[in-house]
Amino acid sequence: MIRLDHVTVTYSGATSPALRDVDVSVAEGELCLVVGPTGAGKSTLLRAVSGLVPHFSGGTLAGRVLVDGRDTREHRPRDLADLVGVVLQDPARGFVTETVEDELAYAMEQLGLPPAAMRVRMEEVLDLLGLAGLRDASLRDLSGGEQQRAAIGAVLTAHPRVLVLDEPTSALDPPAADDVLAALTRLVHDHGMTVLLAEHRLERVVQYADRVLAVAPDGTVREGRAADLLEPGASAPPLVELAQVAGWRPVPLSVRDARRRVTALRGRLAALPPTVTDAPPAGGAPALTARGMHVRYRRAHAVRGVDLDLDAGTVTALMGRNGAGKSSLLWALAGAGPRSAGSVAVRREGRDGGDPAALVPARARELVALVPQDPMDLVYLSSVADECAAGDRQAGAPPGTCAALLARLAGPVPDDAHPRDLSEGQRLALVLAVQLAARPSVLLLDEPTRGLDYAAKRALAAILAGHAAGGGAVLLSSHDVEFVAQCAERVVVLADGEVVTDGSARDVLVASPTFAPQVAKVMHPLPLLTVDEVRAALAVAG
Amino acid sequence: MHPAAWWVWAAGVVALAGRTTSPAVLGLLVAATLVLAGLGRRPGAPPFSGYLVLGLGIVVVRVVFYVLVGLKVPDGQVLVDLPSWQPPWAPGVELLGPVTAAGLARAALGGLALAVMVLAVGAAATASSPSRLLRSVPPALHHLATAAAIAVAVAPSLVRATGAARRARRLRGLPDRGPRALAETALPVLADALDRAVDLAASMDVRGYARRSGRADPRALPALVAALLASAVGLYGLLTGDPAYAVPALAAAVGLGTAGGLLAARGARRTRYRPDPWRGREWLAAGAGAIGLVGAVAGGPPVVLAAVVLAGLGALVPAPLPAEVSA
Amino acid sequence: MTAPAGRSGPGRAAAVRLGRWSVVALVLASAVGLAAFGWPLLVNPEAGLAHATDAPLVLGVVVAGVLLVVHLALADGGMDVKAVALLGLLAAVGAALRPLSAGAAGVELVFTVLVLGGRVLGPGFGFALGATTLATSALLTGGVGPWLPFQMLGAAWVGLGAGLLPRRPRGSAELVMLAGYGALASLAFGLAMNLSFWPFTLGSDTALSFVPGAPLGDNLRRLAAFTVATSLGWDVGRAVTTAVGVALVGAPVLRLLRRTAARAAFVPAVFVTDRTAEHVADGSADRVPERVVDRSADRSTERPATGEPLPR
C-alpha cells in the first residue's frame, strides 16, 4: 500500500538529511507504528507519505514514494486527498471551520462530491467515531479527545485508504486516548484501513501495532515487529524495560500478556519482606499553606474550598480528569489567576513570605513560580540568548544564571535559535530556566509532559527532584501516570473542584483503576510502581 | 434563513433612508430595524447596542454642529437666540446665532436618515451569521472567502490566547499595563498565529484545498481588467453628472466582472454540503428589500415603499408546523 | 520534524505573486479608488451626485465592486494555500488586537500589523491583508457600514505601500522608515476617510459643510476645520500608536514574519530521480543535483509542464 523506495530527504539549508535511504513498505490493512526520539525524522517520514515533503515544506527528496501506486512526484498533497487522510499533530490548529459538521464536510466539498453522497458519508462517519451528538458543537468547545476524533472524521469523509496520524494521543488524558485508539483499531479491523501512526507515548499504542518503523537520529529507518524492535532505552515503554529486568522473551506488549508471565517473578518478590518503603513525610513548616481556596467564574465553580499544604522537599502530583479544576487551582495558588475566597501563605528561606496574590508580580514569582500549560506564552523575544538575558534582568539574578540553568536542564541549546524552533523538551527547559532564575520557593507546573519523549521526561523528573532536594516544593498537574509514578511522592486527586484523595503516590496509584501505571497493574497486588523499584527489589532478592 | 436575505433587505432600507426626510417614514424604518435586531438575532451576534449608540451619536453630531456653526437662515420661529460671533481666525464662519425650530428639525432628520442606514446594516449583521454568509459566496471568491472564514473562526481563540499571554506576563513578574506591555503581549500571540498558519495550510492542503480539475481560463484576467476600465468610465460619468456615460459603463463593469469571475472559477470542482436553502421567507425578505431599493432609486413614494419593506419582516414569523393529520 | 526554520530567508517573499495583469488591475483599481475617495473635490456641481446625501453610498457600492474585481485578479494570478492561511491568521490577529487596544483614542495596533506584514510578504499580500483585516474585524465586532468599502481600500493601500517601500534599509534604518511610513499612512487614512464622508456626516447646512462647486481652497479649508473639530485627535492617536508599535515590536515581529516566510515559502521542492543519490545524502541540498524535476511551480495555479496528475 505504501512503498518508500530508497528515500532520502534533505531540507534546504540543512547539512544532513532528515531521512537517509529509507526503503520500507507497509501492506494494506496494517497498523504501522513509527517510533523514535524527538528530532529523528518521524514527522518527515509521515509527511513524505502524504506528499507534504517536499511539495509543501520544500527541500530535496531522492528516491520514490508510492501510495497505492501513486507517485508523490506527480501527485501533490491535494491530489492525494482522496487516498491519504492526514491528521497532523495538535488537530485544533488544523481546523478550518467552526462546527464539527462543517469541518467533516470540508474535505468532501473540496473533492467536489455530489450532495447526496456527502449526506450519506457524513452520517456514516459521525456514527463510526461517535460524534453524532456533537455535530453542531463548536470545535473550540470540544475536549482534546473529541477534537482528535473530529480531526480524524474530517479526513475520513474523503474515504481515504491510508490514514496517517502524528502523535494522536500524546496530549490526551488516558480515557480520551483509549477512545481514539479504539476508533483507530476499529478502522483497521473492520474497514481494512492502513494506518501509519507516530507516537511518543507507546505504553498504550504498541500492543495494537502490526509493524514498527524505528527512526534513528541519523535518519535511517529499521522495520520489524514491535517485540523485536523496541529496546530498553530512550524510547521504550515501561513494559519493555520490565521485560528486560525480568528476562522475558519475546517482550510482552500489553498488560494482559505480561500478567500471564509474571507469576514466577511475583512469587519471588512476595516472599521477601517489603523492600520499598517511602520516606516519612518531611517535618517542619510546609513551604506553602493554602486554606479554603475557591475559584469561581461567573456561575461555574472551578475550585471549591481546597485546603492544601505543600511540604518543602516533596514533589506532589495533582491529578483528575479534564475540567476538574487543576489549572484553576494552580493559577490561584500562584496568585496570578482569579481566586474568590481562601488564603495562601508561602515560606521562603525560613521566613514567612506572605500571600503571592497580595504582592507585586516581581515579588510574587520569588515565592511561587508557575509554568503554564503552554510554556511559550512566557516567551516573547526572538532568540534564546535574548530570552535568557531578559530572564536574568527580570529576576534580578547575576547575568548568565538563566543560560547556565538552561544548559544544565537541556544540554547545549544554540544561542541564536528562535525559541519556537526548539523541541518541546528544550522549550520547557527554557521556560523553567527563566522561572527558576528567581529562585522561587514553590514550583508549579501545569501539564508539563505534553509532547515530551521518554528521555525528556526523565530529564524533567531529575529537574523536579533537584528543586525539591534544594528545599523547594513542587506541585505538578498531569495525566501521565507513568511520569507521576516516576517522580511524585504524593498524589492529590481533584474531582469537580474538590479534593477526593490525598496520599502517598503509592497508596493512591496502586489502588486506582484509571491512574495505575503499567508496572503496578502487572505486579498487582505487590505495591511496586516503577521498573526501578522492581529492579531494586530483585537486587535484594538476589 | 439564508444569510444573504437580510442583507438585501437592509440595502432596501438604506436606499430608502437616503431618499427621504419624512419623520414618519424614518420612524417606520427605525422601528423595522429594531424589530429585526430584536426578533431575528442570531446566537453569538455582537451586541446591537453598538449600532444604536453610533446612530444616536450621528444625530447628536448633526444637531451640535447645527447649533455651533450652522447656517442660520431665518426660517420661522426662533427657539433660542444665541449671541453670534465671527472668530477672526476663521473667515466666513459664524459661531452660534439664532436657533430655529425648522433648522433644528432639519439637522435632526438629516442625522436620523444616516442613523437609519447604520441601524439597517447593523440589524442585518445581527440577524445573519458572517460565517454562513462566507460559505455561500460564489466559487471565484473561494480563496478570499476562505481567508475571511479562517479569520472569523480563529479570532476568538486568538482573543483567548491574548488573555493567556497577558496573564503569563504576571507569572514572569512583568507589568501588564502600558504600551510596552501591550505590544509585548501581542508578540507571543502573533508568533503562535504565524506558526498556526503554516500548520493550517498543511492541513488544508492534505484535505484537497484548491484542487482543480483544470486550469483557470486565460481570458479571466483580461475580462477583469476590462471590468475595472468600465468602472473607471462609469465613475467619471457619475462625477461629471452624465448618466448617459455612467449607467451603461457601470452595467458593462458588472457584466464583465461577472464574466471574469465565472471564467476564473472554471475548472474548479467544488460542491457545497447542505447549502442554505432559498425559500419563501428568503424571497419575502429579499423581495421587499429589492422593491425598496429599486423604488427608491426610481423615485417612488417613500411611504408605500416603507410599508413594503416593513412587510418583509413577515419572514421573521416562525414557519407553521406541518398540520396534524386529523383522523 | 518540520523544516529547520530561521534560515536567513529572503528579505521579502512575495506571498501573492503579481503578474502583469494583476499589476494593471491594481493600478486601475487604485485610480478608481482615488477618484471615489476624492469625489467632493472632483464632482461637477451640476451632477446629481453632488447634492444627494447618499453619494458615499453610491460610491461605496462602486468601491466594493472594484475591490471584488481586483481580488479576483489577485487570487487568479497566484495565491496558494499558504498565502490564504497566512492571510486568514494575520487578519484574525488584527481583529483580535482591536478589543485589546480599545478604550484609548485611536489606539489601533492593526496598522502596525499591516505595515510589517506588507513589508515582509510583499505588496500584493499587503493589499489583500488590508482589505481582509478590516472586513473581518467589522464582521466580528459589528463595524459593518457604508464606510466599510472605503476603509478596506484605504487599509489595502497601507499594506500595498508598505510592500513597495525601498528594499535596502535594514536594521534600525528599516524601523525608522517603517515607523515614519506607518504614522504618515495612518494620518492619511483618517484624512481620506474624512474627505469622502464629510459631506455625508455633516449635511449641507453648516458653515463647515461641503459646498458643491465652491473653489477648491474654500472646500479644503472647511474640511480642515471639520477635521480639527472632530477626528484629528483620533487620527493623531492612531498615527502615534502605529509608529510606537513599530518602534517597540518592529524588530521581533519582522524577524517572526521572515521566519514564517522562510518556513512557509517557498523554497523549491526538488525531486532527484537518481536512486542512489549519494550526493544528496551527504552533501548540502543547496547544490542542486543534475537530474532533477523542479516542482516549485506548486504555488501558482499554473501546473508545471510535467506530470499532470489528473485527467482534464
Side-chain angles (χ1 to χ4, degrees), chain A residues 5-6 8 10-15 17 20 39-44 47 54-64 72-76 78-79 382-383 416-418 420-421, chain C residues 1-7 80-82 252 255-256 259 263-264 267-277 280-286 289 295 298 300 303 307-310:
Chain A
D5 186 2
H6 294 282
T8 297
T10 313
Y11 289 117
S12 96
T15 47
R20 196 188 291 263
K42 288 200 299 293
S43 294
T44 303
R47 285 171 171 243
H55 285 291
F56 187 88
S57 61
T60 306
L61 186 140
R64 276 195 318 164
T72 61
R73 276 181 298 189
E74 276 108 40
H75 294 77
R76 297 166 301 175
R78 66 194 77 162
D79 304 320
S382 43
S383 76
D416 59 342
H418 197 283
R420 291 197 163 258
D421 292 333
Chain C
M1 302 290 120
T2 44
R7 292 162 296 216
D80 80 333
V81 60
K82 293 169 199 166
R255 190 165 168 198
L256 276 176
R259 170 176 171 267
R263 262 190 79 184
V267 274
V270 179
F271 288 90
V272 185
T273 43
D274 185 348
R275 273 194 168 204
T276 52
V280 182
D282 45 41
S284 108
D286 293 342
R295 302 282 309 205
D298 184 33
S300 75
R303 282 307 190 60
E308 192 73 22
L310 288 169

Side-chain angles (χ1 to χ4, degrees), chain A residues 89-444:
Chain A
Q89 216 170 338
D90 199 353
R93 297 166 75 86
F95 288 146
V96 186
T97 62
E98 288 174 88
T99 66
V100 172
E101 193 168 9
D102 286 348
E103 193 66 24
L104 262 59
Y106 185 79
M108 298 192 284
E109 292 180 332
Q110 304 307 316
L111 296 178
L113 291 181
M118 288 203 264
R119 293 300 295 268
V120 175
R121 285 195 190 183
M122 175 68 71
E123 303 307 320
E124 285 170 7
V125 171
L126 285 173
D127 284 340
L128 193 61
L129 294 173
L131 290 168
L134 298 170
R135 64 191 305 158
D136 293 321
S138 161
L139 290 163
R140 282 199 306 277
D141 300 337
L142 300 183
S143 71
E146 289 163 346
Q147 283 183 341
Q148 190 63 258
R149 279 185 288 146
I152 295 173
V155 300
L156 279 187
T157 49
H159 277 192
R161 298 180 59 203
V162 176
L163 200 54
V164 173
L165 303 107
D166 199 350
E167 303 196 7
T169 66
S170 64
L172 303 182
D173 59 9
D178 285 341
D179 280 354
V180 169
L181 286 173
L184 288 179
T185 43
R186 200 158 56 235
L187 285 171
V188 172
H189 289 185
D190 300 353
H191 300 264
M193 184 82 73
T194 309
V195 173
L196 190 62
L197 178 127
E199 192 52 83
H200 276 315
R201 241 157 94 175
L202 299 175
E203 53 265 18
R204 281 163 197 287
V205 191
V206 75
Q207 52 187 307
Y208 302 113
D210 298 307
R211 176 196 298 271
V212 169
L213 300 180
V215 186
D218 65 351
T220 54
V221 172
R222 287 186 304 146
E223 69 173 315
R225 291 190 313 129
D228 304 329
L229 269 190
L230 292 178
E231 285 163 6
S235 59
L239 274 185
V240 174
E241 299 213 26
L242 184 64
Q244 191 210 17
V245 170
W248 294 331
R249 277 276 153 192
V251 175
L253 295 174
S254 65
V255 170
R256 192 178 127 97
D257 290 348
R259 295 269 311 168
R260 289 185 182 157
R261 314 267 279 275
V262 79
T263 328
L265 175 68
R266 210 166 46 201
R268 259 169 82 198
L269 295 178
L272 296 167
T275 47
V276 219
T277 44
D278 294 317
L288 180 146
T289 314
R291 287 290 171 268
M293 298 297 287
H294 204 99
V295 180
R296 196 172 54 125
Y297 303 102
R298 302 227 171 104
R299 258 163 288 160
H301 296 259
V303 178
R304 309 161 188 258
V306 168
D307 296 336
L308 190 66
D309 292 329
L310 296 180
D311 292 330
T314 30
V315 177
T316 309
L318 192 59
M319 304 188 79
R321 62 179 82 84
N322 283 328
K326 301 190 296 291
S327 292
S328 299
L329 178 59
L330 289 177
W331 279 86
L333 289 176
R339 183 210 299 175
S340 28
S343 66
V344 177
V346 182
R347 293 180 66 81
R348 183 172 192 246
E349 289 161 1
R351 277 192 303 278
D352 189 5
D355 185 341
L359 300 173
V360 293
R363 294 277 86 75
R365 66 180 292 219
E366 294 173 350
L367 300 180
V368 181
L370 170 61
V371 175
Q373 199 162 41
D374 184 359
M376 294 312 279
D377 281 346
L378 276 182
V379 170
Y380 61 98
L381 294 170
S382 43
S383 76
V384 171
D386 290 354
E387 204 64 65
C388 284
D392 291 337
R393 258 196 329 278
Q394 288 150 7
T401 311
C402 235
L405 274 167
L406 177 62
R408 216 184 76 216
L409 304 182
V413 175
D415 257 4
D416 59 342
H418 197 283
R420 291 197 163 258
D421 292 333
L422 302 180
S423 73
E424 296 280 350
Q426 289 170 325
R427 290 175 179 195
L428 181 66
L430 174 62
V431 171
L432 268 171
V434 165
Q435 289 296 63
L436 289 177
R439 303 197 304 112
S441 165
V442 179
L443 179 61
L444 309 176

